[in-house]
């Protein structure tokens, strides 16, 4: 996972993420932790595994907020988010 930690860019295994890490979310990637969207594109996120909804949700949005839950899949877009919960 591409991560910014303590101002340094690095690649980390998902199990090494901690709250406060900044991760780059890109189309095709599984969301590695509960992430709060920070900046970048509006993401199209498949939440079907958690919600059963057949259509992707947009993040950020007034309806769904800015927090993207772990185990969802980013379908399109590229954005940075901060790890809130692992």
């Amino acid at each position: 996972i591409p991560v910014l930690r303590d101002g340094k860019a690095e690649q980390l295994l998902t199990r090494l993420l901690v709250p406060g890490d900044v991760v780059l979310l890109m189309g095709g990637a599984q969301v590695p932790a509960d992430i709060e969207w920070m900046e970048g594109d509006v993401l199209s996120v498949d939440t079907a595994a958690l919600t059963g909804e057949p259509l992707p949700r947009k993040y950020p949005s007034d309806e769904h907020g800015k927090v993207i839950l772990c185990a969802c899949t980013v379908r399109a877009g590229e954005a940075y988010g901060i790890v809130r919960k692992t």
Side-chain angles (χ1 to χ4, degrees):
I1 304 285
V3 176
L4 289 174
R5 182 184 282 176
D6 298 327
K8 293 175 56 182
E10 53 189 294
Q11 292 282 332
L12 290 179
L13 297 172
T14 300
R15 63 183 169 83
L16 299 176
L17 292 175
V18 297
D21 283 341
V22 174
V23 298
L24 176 60
L25 299 173
M26 298 178 283
Q30 186 172 27
V31 179
D34 290 354
I35 305 286
E36 183 177 351
W37 184 95
M38 289 175 51
E39 64 180 46
D41 299 333
V42 172
L43 299 175
S44 176
V45 179
D46 182 349
T47 62
L50 300 176
T51 66
E53 291 182 33
L55 299 174
R57 291 179 173 186
K58 301 292 184 193
Y59 289 90
S61 71
D62 291 338
E63 184 178 355
H64 303 297
K66 293 171 59 172
V67 177
I68 307 164
L69 298 177
C70 182
C72 295
T73 303
V74 178
R75 292 289 175 215
E78 188 172 297
Y80 288 96
I82 188 164
V83 174
R84 293 297 181 202
K85 185 176 181 185
T86 58

